[in-house]
Amino acid sequence: MALSREQIAQRVAQELQDGYYVNLGIGIPTLVANYIPEGMEVMLQSENGLLGMGQFPTEDELDADLINAGKQTVTMATGASIFDSAESFAMIRGGHVDLTVLGAFEVDVNGNIASYMIPGKLIKGMGGAMDLVAGADNIIVTMTHASKHGVSKLLSNCTLPLTGKGCIKKVLTDLAFIEIKDGKFHLLERAPGISVDEIVKLTEGELVVTGDIPEMKL
Amino acid sequence: MALSREQIAQRVAQELQDGYYVNLGIGIPTLVANYIPEGMEVMLQSENGLLGMGQFPTEDELDADLINAGKQTVTMATGASIFDSAESFAMIRGGHVDLTVLGAFEVDVNGNIASYMIPGKLIKGMGGAMDLVAGADNIIVTMTHASKHGVSKLLSNCTLPLTGKGCIKKVLTDLAFIEIKDGKFHLLERAPGISVDEIVKLTEGELVVTGDIPEMKL
Amino acid sequence: MAGFDKVVSSYEEAMAGLTDNMTVVAGGFGLCGIPENLIAEIKRKGTKGLTLVSNNCGVDDFGLGILLPDRQIKKIIASYVGENAEFERQMMAGELDVELTPQGTLAEKMRAGGAGIPAFFTATGYGTPVAEGKEERQFKGRDYILEESIVGDFAIVKAWKADRYGNLVFRKTARNFNPMAATAGKVTVVEVEEIVEPGELDPDQIHTAGIYVDRLILGNFEKRIEQRTVRKA
Amino acid sequence: MAGFDKVVSSYEEAMAGLTDNMTVVAGGFGLCGIPENLIAEIKRKGTKGLTLVSNNCGVDDFGLGILLPDRQIKKIIASYVGENAEFERQMMAGELDVELTPQGTLAEKMRAGGAGIPAFFTATGYGTPVAEGKEERQFKGRDYILEESIVGDFAIVKAWKADRYGNLVFRKTARNFNPMAATAGKVTVVEVEEIVEPGELDPDQIHTAGIYVDRLILGNFEKRIEQRTVRKA
């Protein structure tokens, strides 16, 4: 069965390492924070100027001056630090964040990503997404593998305006964990109960399947 | 008589205005701080990261962590702030300092300045001088008008490697206060007891003398 | 107090000199750390044809969004402009010029403007619509685009505390774009929650030096929360 | 403490991995705020062929100057290099490569290196020997030159206080180049006067976030004064 949003987050969380500084985008990526393995320390970077984001505040802790990049009220974790937006993106652009997780509309076999704009619809802007994809070495894109109508989002060439060019190497969809290299998708894992054939069918870009593809462990 | 170092500083101090942020170079410029007119507030910027430099410390106040750009121990004035070197030069390069006073070996009619290097002699480096002359709109150069051997330092063309190109508009020497514009020196004031002829004789670059030239008031 | 005292006593005085068609750089992220009373004063003044440089454009009835109904904004340079129906209407109708800029590039453009750096290279936006018309260049085998800096006629800033000399301290994530905005205005106006005497702030802990601040005013703030998320105690 | 604990217990461990011909970015201005014990460890290790990036090169017997007698420095990128007889001898003899860089440009090169900006334009040095071989370009009628950023294999930094996560606080003008250096090393090593537990530093008052710091060590400092100037009480 296709992974739920929570299960996608759960599988991404397995890629975390102790001592990682991580930036989690809005949506599914945010849920990753709920699945940090026990005994592991991870520090969350919020690009509006906070390293060490904590959980939501209680009513008593609520503070209009303390929000995350999704504009939600948050708290600070022990050892947090605050900085301005130029410094926050110096951190991101300079490659100091260990892992970035963000959503997308489309990715393609060349590591291109489209995630911020659907022409003709309302254009809200890229926020920090272009900086995040350009600055990070280690990025995981989370998305559904195909639209509700069965149209693949893993393409030979992105059709929407790009957020970044040639910067994505790992994609976790509701069906599969995929690596991008040498201009091709490579199937690493499949969601429990999902067959390789189903994944092939819903992947428009060239997909390399080598040997037995293991099921994800959740 | 030619101005003493103290008198040069005294005349420069007349160019200060209440509320000015000022960067004073090493040597004669430093002495300007002693002649700030009564009732006037001026804040001194030290490019190693201090705005609001105070006087030298007493033995009790001495602090190895608090120095000026000349590496001398100093104190902080009321309302001072501390910042890093990138921020200090952001302030300077961004044109936020109201007045910069610095020394030079040579200036010329095009506003070029040479102040950091005499080829063949030991080369110590430009420190912050190139940033200061490039960043400031309002600069006063203090220097002796000529060498001990009577060789002019106000030239048609600087002979030494430049610190900055086309950035100097005002020069105060031991003999005269001079403005640079339209590719010429313009005599504004002469030192008490110094004749226009003496100044003309010791100025190699073209010097415009218009009408009666007043004596400086000290 | 003469010389360095930046305190003014009315919002009218704070925004004096702002005229039609000027560029205004504003601090704030969403509704957090926005100079809400300075924005209200711009609405009151009725200044028109403004180019705004701000990460966002507020919501319909708060923040920069309140400048929309009277069509005071000609152009906005921002990274994210959702959550605002009137904004959407004006943009779709072509009444409002929107220049979308990546958030980090926007922050760096303000910083560079204040720091006398006219342009810098960044990998952000390479190969995307943001790169259109911009110079591309490789350094050490990687592709970058050239971005130019921004300086505004006015900068409007919200800080937490200040001394009368304009030395500023920000609080938590209300800091965001405010320190860069403060450096990037020909005239920088700051509103704060508390003004203390010079010498009361620790010089090591001042976030923005008073040299950047032209006018300072004590304000009352609503501090509206955009996404109120809480957990049970 | 796992994860983010950056504390190491020996200077040997602090500088482990530094090998011949590496580039080292160092904080400090004159002898103020220099990582004096980390420099001493480099001397002890005997690492050679180093390229140093530092505003100054210490004095004969203190600071980076102590790396000169054993010819450990191949090249130095600095803004001012007086006050050192052995330095002068090696430079005049062509044994030491000196790249003089304006102080503000040097600070900005370090910041840009840490911030992922490969190059920026500045007016500083235009029309001077510093501009030789560099691209020149006009923006809005003014002339600028293109300067490239610097990243070191190691950065050595002196801070005042830190928590175990490597969040740093600097003291007075000992801050200087240290915060930029901290961002510009592939491996950043910091020595401090005091280490506290995470949570003890006010998050609003941290000068450098721990994300930049790889190793942290508690040191004892001589803090030599270069120009002792005092007045009578």
Side-chain angles (χ1 to χ4, degrees):
Chain A
M1 226 179 72
L3 301 182
S4 66
R5 289 161 55 89
E6 282 71 20
Q7 286 173 313
I8 293 177
Q10 216 176 325
R11 177 62 192 86
V12 169
Q14 294 172 16
E15 301 295 301
L16 297 172
Q17 291 184 24
D18 195 27
Y20 257 21
Y21 297 98
V22 180
N23 185 294
L24 301 177
I26 294 164
I28 296 174
T30 301
L31 301 175
V32 173
N34 300 332
Y35 298 99
I36 298 168
E38 201 138 333
M40 187 181 284
E41 287 190 68
V42 166
M43 206 167 261
L44 302 178
Q45 206 258 15
S46 186
E47 66 259 31
N48 57 318
L50 166 60
L51 183 66
M53 182 167 57
Q55 49 189 340
F56 291 142
T58 62
E59 284 287 345
D60 285 352
E61 291 168 341
L62 195 73
D63 185 339
D65 287 341
L66 187 54
I67 65 170
N68 65 16
K71 299 168 189 168
Q72 298 170 311
T73 46
V74 292
T75 57
M76 291 188 278
T78 302
S81 56
I82 296 280
F83 31 82
D84 64 43
S85 300
E87 172 54 30
S88 181
F89 284 94
M91 217 172 255
I92 288 167
R93 201 191 302 106
H96 303 280
V97 174
D98 296 304
L99 175 65
T100 292
V101 185
L102 79 174
F105 301 141
E106 300 174 346
V107 295
D108 73 25
V109 293
N110 293 310
N112 298 328
I113 173 172
S115 67
Y116 85 103
M117 179 179 170
I118 300 177
K121 295 205 181 180
L122 177 61
I123 295 149
K124 292 195 169 187
M126 68 291 283
M130 284 192 181
D131 307 278
L132 282 160
V133 297
D137 263 343
N138 190 13
I139 303 171
I140 300 177
V141 169
T142 61
M143 59 197 294
T144 53
H145 208 97
S147 75
K148 284 172 194 166
H149 310 292
V151 181
S152 178
K153 297 179 178 179
L154 283 80
L155 306 174
S156 308
N157 286 293
C158 288
T159 63
L160 296 170
L162 297 186
T163 307
K165 194 168 172 179
C167 41
I168 306 303
K169 292 178 202 140
K170 291 179 193 161
V171 185
L172 186 66
T173 73
D174 52 344
L175 304 185
F177 190 25
I178 282 171
E179 190 183 2
I180 304 176
K181 67 177 177 198
D182 307 326
K184 291 172 185 130
F185 294 125
H186 298 259
L187 185 58
L188 300 181
E189 297 176 17
R190 55 202 170 80
I194 300 292
S195 72
V196 170
D197 280 354
E198 285 174 274
I199 296 167
V200 169
K201 208 178 118 200
L202 287 169
T203 306
E204 190 266 327
E206 184 177 350
L207 178 68
V208 178
V209 181
T210 309
D212 275 355
I213 303 299
E215 269 192 5
M216 288 174 202
K217 293 190 180 75
L218 295 171
Chain B
M1 229 178 71
L3 301 182
S4 66
R5 290 162 54 90
E6 282 71 21
Q7 286 174 313
I8 293 176
Q10 217 176 323
R11 178 61 193 84
V12 169
Q14 294 173 16
E15 301 295 303
L16 297 172
Q17 291 184 24
D18 196 28
Y20 257 21
Y21 297 98
V22 179
N23 185 293
L24 301 176
I26 293 165
I28 296 174
T30 301
L31 301 175
V32 173
N34 301 331
Y35 297 99
I36 298 169
E38 202 138 331
M40 187 181 283
E41 285 190 71
V42 166
M43 206 167 263
L44 302 177
Q45 205 259 16
S46 186
E47 65 259 32
N48 56 316
L50 167 60
L51 183 65
M53 181 166 57
Q55 49 190 342
F56 291 143
T58 61
E59 284 288 344
D60 285 352
E61 292 168 340
L62 194 73
D63 185 340
D65 287 342
L66 188 53
I67 66 170
N68 65 18
K71 299 168 191 169
Q72 298 169 310
T73 46
V74 292
T75 57
M76 290 188 279
T78 301
S81 56
I82 296 280
F83 32 82
D84 65 42
S85 300
E87 171 54 29
S88 181
F89 284 93
M91 216 173 256
I92 289 167
R93 203 191 303 103
H96 303 280
V97 174
D98 296 303
L99 174 67
T100 292
V101 185
L102 79 173
F105 302 141
E106 299 173 347
V107 295
D108 72 24
V109 294
N110 293 310
N112 298 328
I113 173 172
S115 67
Y116 85 103
M117 178 180 172
I118 300 179
K121 293 203 183 181
L122 177 61
I123 296 151
K124 292 194 170 189
M126 68 291 284
M130 283 191 182
D131 307 279
L132 283 161
V133 298
D137 264 343
N138 190 13
I139 303 171
I140 301 177
V141 169
T142 61
M143 59 197 295
T144 53
H145 208 96
S147 74
K148 284 171 193 165
H149 311 291
V151 180
S152 177
K153 297 179 178 179
L154 284 82
L155 306 174
S156 309
N157 285 293
C158 288
T159 63
L160 296 170
L162 296 185
T163 307
K165 194 169 173 178
C167 41
I168 306 302
K169 292 178 201 139
K170 290 179 195 162
V171 185
L172 185 67
T173 74
D174 53 343
L175 304 184
F177 191 24
I178 282 170
E179 190 182 2
I180 304 176
K181 67 176 178 199
D182 307 326
K184 293 175 186 125
F185 293 124
H186 298 258
L187 185 58
L188 300 181
E189 297 176 16
R190 55 203 170 79
I194 301 291
S195 72
V196 169
D197 280 356
E198 285 173 276
I199 295 166
V200 169
K201 209 178 116 199
L202 288 169
T203 306
E204 191 266 328
E206 184 176 351
L207 178 68
V208 178
V209 181
T210 309
D212 275 353
I213 304 299
E215 269 191 6
M216 290 174 201
K217 292 190 182 76
L218 295 171
Chain C
M1 206 175 318
F4 296 97
D5 192 350
K6 312 289 175 73
V7 180
V8 298
S9 51
S10 74
Y11 276 93
E12 206 175 339
E13 202 183 335
M15 293 308 295
L18 180 75
T19 56
D20 289 355
N21 304 310
M22 277 188 168
T23 296
V24 178
V25 178
F29 180 96
L31 301 182
C32 182
I34 59 172
E36 53 180 86
N37 302 295
L38 294 171
I39 295 167
E41 171 63 17
I42 297 175
K43 182 175 176 64
R44 196 200 58 77
K45 274 175 92 81
T47 319
K48 293 226 181 346
L50 296 173
T51 295
L52 279 169
V53 186
S54 168
N55 191 55
N56 315 92
C57 197
V59 293
D60 272 323
D61 63 341
F62 199 65
L64 291 174
I66 65 170
L67 303 182
L68 290 164
D70 298 337
R71 304 280 311 282
Q72 295 180 262
I73 308 175
K74 182 176 67 185
K75 179 178 176 179
I76 181 154
I77 301 173
S79 88
Y80 191 82
V81 289
E83 1 285 8
N84 194 315
E86 175 61 15
F87 187 98
E88 185 176 345
R89 194 200 62 71
Q90 290 189 18
M91 182 170 68
M92 293 318 226
E95 296 168 6
L96 181 62
D97 183 8
V98 180
E99 184 176 321
L100 291 175
T101 302
Q103 194 175 145
T105 297
L106 185 62
E108 193 65 17
K109 276 170 173 267
M110 290 184 192
R111 184 209 175 252
I117 289 171
F120 56 91
F121 283 96
T122 176
T124 301
Y126 171 78
T128 78
V130 164
E132 276 166 32
K134 289 172 188 163
E135 180 181 333
E136 297 179 357
R137 191 183 302 197
Q138 284 205 341
F139 292 90
K140 294 174 185 159
R142 240 197 118 182
D143 294 299
Y144 297 87
I145 60 173
L146 185 66
E147 292 279 5
E148 296 195 18
S149 64
I150 292 176
V151 176
D153 297 296
F154 271 74
I156 55 174
V157 168
K158 157 71 170 63
W160 177 43
K161 262 192 196 185
D163 67 21
R164 300 177 73 88
Y165 287 2
N167 291 308
L168 308 180
V169 178
F170 300 94
R171 185 172 176 277
K172 301 187 179 175
T173 58
R175 191 181 321 182
N176 57 61
F177 281 83
N178 281 297
M180 281 80 64
T183 70
K186 286 176 199 156
V187 177
T188 292
V189 188
V190 182
E191 58 174 345
V192 295
E193 297 176 46
E194 186 184 351
I195 296 177
V196 301
E197 292 305 309
E200 288 187 47
L201 300 175
D202 179 350
D204 276 329
Q205 303 296 10
I206 288 166
H207 294 130
T208 293
I211 195 169
Y212 294 110
V213 176
D214 296 289
R215 303 171 195 166
L216 180 68
I217 187 162
L218 187 67
N220 287 307
F221 299 87
E222 174 186 339
K223 290 199 193 182
R224 193 182 296 187
I225 292 173
E226 203 163 344
Q227 302 284 340
R228 195 175 186 286
T229 46
V230 291
R231 68 187 159 90
K232 294 219 170 78
Chain D
M1 206 176 318
F4 296 97
D5 192 351
K6 311 288 176 75
V7 180
V8 299
S9 51
S10 73
Y11 276 94
E12 207 174 336
E13 202 182 335
M15 293 308 295
L18 180 74
T19 55
D20 290 355
N21 305 310
M22 278 187 167
T23 296
V24 178
V25 178
F29 180 96
L31 301 181
C32 182
I34 59 172
E36 51 180 87
N37 302 296
L38 294 171
I39 295 167
E41 172 61 17
I42 296 175
K43 182 175 177 62
R44 196 201 59 77
K45 274 175 92 82
T47 320
K48 294 225 185 335
L50 296 172
T51 294
L52 280 168
V53 185
S54 168
N55 192 53
N56 315 92
C57 195
V59 294
D60 273 322
D61 62 342
F62 199 66
L64 291 174
I66 66 171
L67 303 181
L68 290 164
D70 299 336
R71 305 280 311 280
Q72 295 179 261
I73 308 174
K74 182 177 66 184
K75 178 178 176 179
I76 181 154
I77 300 173
S79 88
Y80 191 81
V81 290
E83 0 287 9
N84 193 315
E86 176 60 15
F87 188 98
E88 184 175 345
R89 195 199 61 71
Q90 290 189 17
M91 182 171 67
M92 291 319 226
E95 297 168 7
L96 181 62
D97 183 8
V98 180
E99 185 176 321
L100 290 175
T101 302
Q103 194 174 146
T105 298
L106 184 63
E108 193 67 17
K109 276 169 173 269
M110 290 184 193
R111 183 207 175 256
I117 290 171
F120 57 90
F121 283 96
T122 176
T124 301
Y126 172 77
T128 78
V130 164
E132 276 166 30
K134 289 171 188 162
E135 180 181 333
E136 298 178 356
R137 191 183 301 197
Q138 284 205 340
F139 293 90
K140 294 176 186 159
R142 241 199 118 181
D143 295 299
Y144 297 87
I145 59 173
L146 184 66
E147 292 279 4
E148 294 194 18
S149 65
I150 293 176
V151 175
D153 298 296
F154 270 74
I156 54 174
V157 169
K158 157 72 172 63
W160 176 44
K161 263 192 195 184
D163 66 23
R164 300 177 73 90
Y165 287 2
N167 290 309
L168 308 180
V169 178
F170 301 94
R171 185 171 176 276
K172 300 186 180 176
T173 57
R175 191 181 321 182
N176 57 62
F177 281 83
N178 282 298
M180 282 78 67
T183 70
K186 286 175 200 156
V187 178
T188 292
V189 188
V190 182
E191 58 175 344
V192 295
E193 298 176 44
E194 187 183 352
I195 297 178
V196 301
E197 292 306 310
E200 289 189 43
L201 300 175
D202 179 350
D204 275 330
Q205 302 294 10
I206 289 166
H207 294 129
T208 294
I211 195 170
Y212 294 110
V213 177
D214 296 289
R215 303 172 195 165
L216 180 67
I217 187 163
L218 187 66
N220 286 306
F221 298 87
E222 175 186 337
K223 290 200 192 181
R224 194 182 295 187
I225 292 174
E226 204 163 343
Q227 302 282 342
R228 193 176 187 286
T229 45
V230 292
R231 69 186 159 90
K232 295 220 171 77

